């Protein structure tokens, strides 16, 4: 079976961040802030705000922010880094050992390299950021050609087809050719 990995020209040493992250982070702050403002206002109007209830609403708003804040994904030639709130995962895409797409509601790509690095990326991040995907794919292609990628080439092929399909669909929608 022929690999569907896209060949890209060497990209130098540029870094590609998740272009949607800032907006999603602002949305997380906005939702948490809105919950805090509304709950404090309703509590103050209804029964009178107490220190205990204010602390509870603040804690709930912080918890909502932590849940909604997405991980920040940054790719460079040969590596991908996923920054969580308290974690940082880096994987060398030019030394990938395994790639998998676990079944479940939360669709993600799990990659591990020959150095023991591991990272999980939500598929929506790769689908929304073609330049980021191209760096991941180029590194995976390099790993496959060098023989370090022991399992997961088929998962990457399926994801490549999905990215191509979604990108083509977006182009047709923007061009009003649908």
């Amino acid at each position: 079976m022929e690999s569907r990995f896209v060949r890209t020209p060497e990209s130098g040493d540029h870094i590609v961040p998740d272009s949607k992250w800032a907006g999603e982070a602002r949305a997380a702050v906005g939702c948490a802030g809105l919950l805090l403002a509304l709950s404090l206002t309703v509590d103050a109007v209804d029964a009178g705000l107490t220190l205990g209830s204010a602390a509870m609403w603040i804690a709930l708003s912080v918890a909502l922010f932590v849940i909604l804040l997405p991980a920040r994904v940054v790719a460079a030639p040969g590596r991908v880094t996923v920054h969580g709130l308290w974690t940082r995962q880096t994987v060398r895409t030019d030394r990938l050992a395994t790639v998998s797409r676990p079944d479940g509601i939360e669709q993600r790509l799990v990659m591990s390299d020959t150095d023991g690095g591991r990272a999980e990326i939500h598929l929506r991040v790769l689908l929304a950021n073609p330049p980021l995907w191209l760096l991941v794919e180029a590194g995976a292609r390099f790993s496959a050609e060098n023989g370090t990628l022991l399992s997961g080439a088929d998962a990457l092929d399926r994801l490549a087809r999905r990215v191509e399909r979604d990108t083509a669909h977006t182009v047709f929608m923007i061009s009003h050719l649908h």
Side-chain angles (χ1 to χ4, degrees):
M1 179 176 175
E2 183 180 323
S3 176
R4 294 184 47 83
F5 293 148
V6 177
R7 293 205 177 267
T8 58
E10 291 305 317
S11 53
D13 200 27
H14 70 280
I15 295 173
V16 177
D18 175 3
S19 63
K20 308 286 186 198
W21 183 84
E24 291 177 2
R26 279 191 301 273
V29 169
C31 288
L34 183 61
L35 173 67
L36 180 62
L38 288 175
S39 57
L40 290 176
T41 302
V42 168
D43 205 12
V45 169
D46 184 39
L49 191 60
T50 64
L51 183 60
S53 63
M56 179 192 66
W57 292 123
I58 291 170
L60 283 173
S61 295
V62 168
L64 179 64
F65 171 73
V66 168
I67 290 168
L68 292 179
L69 184 67
R72 187 169 45 101
V73 179
V74 178
R79 70 177 163 80
V80 173
T81 303
V82 180
H83 299 270
L85 197 55
W86 294 288
T87 62
R88 180 177 157 181
Q89 302 171 325
T90 299
V91 67
R92 294 291 310 252
T93 57
D94 57 354
R95 295 186 206 153
L96 286 177
T98 63
V99 175
S100 64
R101 283 182 57 189
D103 292 333
I105 294 172
E106 182 182 16
Q107 294 188 0
R108 61 196 193 301
L109 188 68
V110 180
M111 302 178 290
S112 63
D113 63 23
T114 57
D115 298 334
R118 184 177 182 279
E120 293 184 23
I121 302 175
H122 290 272
L123 289 186
R124 65 174 170 69
V125 173
L126 295 173
L127 294 171
N129 294 281
L132 197 144
W133 160 248
L134 288 175
L135 283 176
V136 170
E137 186 182 37
R141 180 182 22 82
F142 184 83
S143 294
E145 289 172 356
N146 286 336
T148 62
L149 185 59
L150 303 176
S151 70
D154 54 336
L156 287 169
D157 283 336
R158 285 192 307 274
L159 184 56
R161 284 192 294 276
R162 182 173 172 189
V163 169
E164 290 169 3
R165 184 181 65 239
D166 288 1
T167 302
H169 179 71
T170 301
V171 168
F172 284 131
M173 293 298 288
I174 291 171
S175 304
H176 302 292
L177 296 174
H178 55 96

